Amino acid sequence: NVFSSLLENRVLKREISKEFLKLSPKLSLRLCAYIYNLCKEDELIDFSKRILKTLRVDNKTRNAVIKVFENFDTKICDDLILCKKQISRLGKECFCDLVCLKRALFWEDETILKILEKAMENYKYIQENNLCVNVLQMELSGDDLVLNGICSGKAVGETLDKLLELIIEDKIKNKKEDLLKVAIKLNQKG
């Protein structure tokens, strides 16, 4: 059968934390762990696409698995600002999935585990304190920029991206008034 041919000559290369497999209710994470063990790292994306199609996995789960593998080489950081940047780039769900998967795969390496634990602490802190990590969380919108005559068109998105970067780096607060002042300065320079 097709599934058997996909798994032909595949050998598990790493033991997965048994606790992870028991505790993780998330199908996409369990699939990531198994797929990671069945192929070389440079085959992860192509192999996962083939096997998930063969297994007829739903699109949401398939996309989550593929996104994790597309970002698998991302070095997870334990610094709060770097974590915010990674969450901003990857999205909250993918960041968590990536950390969880790496914890399951590298559970024997204490150094990596400490970094991953700190990253999850940072993630929880970001969530609990509702820290801004994407444009949708900003107190200033593109409409505000246009209505205040600060910029229009393509410059709106560019300005929001610059403001988000400054918020993430803790250089400005996510307050509408502060953001408007900085937006004016940014657009006077450009």
Side-chain angles (χ1 to χ4, degrees):
N1 80 35
V2 180
F3 185 68
S4 298
S5 66
L6 280 173
L7 298 178
E8 202 172 288
N9 299 320
R10 304 282 178 169
V11 178
L12 291 180
K13 60 183 175 186
R14 177 182 293 277
E15 186 176 329
I16 304 166
S17 164
K18 303 222 181 332
E19 292 78 32
F20 169 78
L21 293 175
K22 288 179 195 169
L23 297 176
S24 180
K26 199 167 182 184
L27 175 61
S28 61
L29 277 176
R30 291 194 314 262
L31 287 168
C32 282
Y34 285 118
I35 291 169
Y36 177 85
N37 273 302
L38 293 172
C39 63
K40 297 175 187 167
E41 282 190 31
D42 62 347
E43 298 176 341
L44 283 172
I45 297 168
D46 291 334
F47 183 75
S48 62
K49 286 178 182 176
R50 286 195 324 263
I51 198 164
L52 296 173
K53 183 177 181 180
T54 302
L55 293 172
R56 296 184 180 170
V57 173
D58 65 278
N59 287 336
K60 183 180 179 189
T61 303
R62 180 182 14 224
N63 292 339
V65 170
I66 292 168
K67 187 170 183 181
V68 167
F69 286 143
E70 287 173 341
N71 294 285
F72 190 78
D73 290 336
T74 298
K75 183 180 178 194
I76 301 296
C77 301
D78 56 359
D79 175 75
L80 180 61
I81 290 175
L82 294 176
C83 279
K84 288 194 289 185
K85 287 182 178 185
Q86 289 178 329
I87 292 167
S88 178
R89 187 178 63 79
L90 298 171
K92 292 176 182 179
E93 186 174 358
C94 183
F95 178 83
C96 282
D97 289 352
L98 199 51
V99 170
C100 289
L101 178 62
K102 288 186 178 202
R103 282 170 50 190
L105 296 173
F106 305 112
W107 60 277
E108 295 171 316
D109 188 324
E110 277 189 46
T111 307
I112 293 174
L113 277 181
K114 284 180 184 175
I115 292 168
L116 296 173
E117 291 300 323
K118 182 64 178 168
M120 279 311 286
E121 286 175 26
N122 287 335
Y123 173 79
K124 289 175 185 171
Y125 176 82
I126 291 164
Q127 288 294 99
E128 289 167 1
N129 293 285
N130 199 28
L131 299 181
C132 181
V133 292
N134 70 50
V135 173
L136 296 175
Q137 292 177 297
M138 291 172 57
E139 289 191 16
L140 183 76
S141 70
D143 289 340
D144 295 322
L145 294 174
V146 174
L147 290 173
N148 285 287
I150 297 170
C151 60
S152 61
K154 186 178 172 185
V156 172
E158 292 169 354
T159 302
L160 290 174
D161 289 341
K162 288 176 188 171
L163 291 171
L164 177 61
E165 187 176 331
L166 294 171
I167 292 169
I168 288 173
E169 293 173 354
D170 293 332
K171 293 181 179 175
I172 57 173
K173 300 233 182 275
N174 185 20
K175 300 291 177 211
K176 191 172 187 172
E177 300 79 31
D178 296 343
L179 295 170
L180 277 170
K181 289 176 190 172
V182 175
I184 291 168
K185 288 179 186 174
L186 287 172
N187 283 283
Q188 287 173 346
K189 289 180 184 177

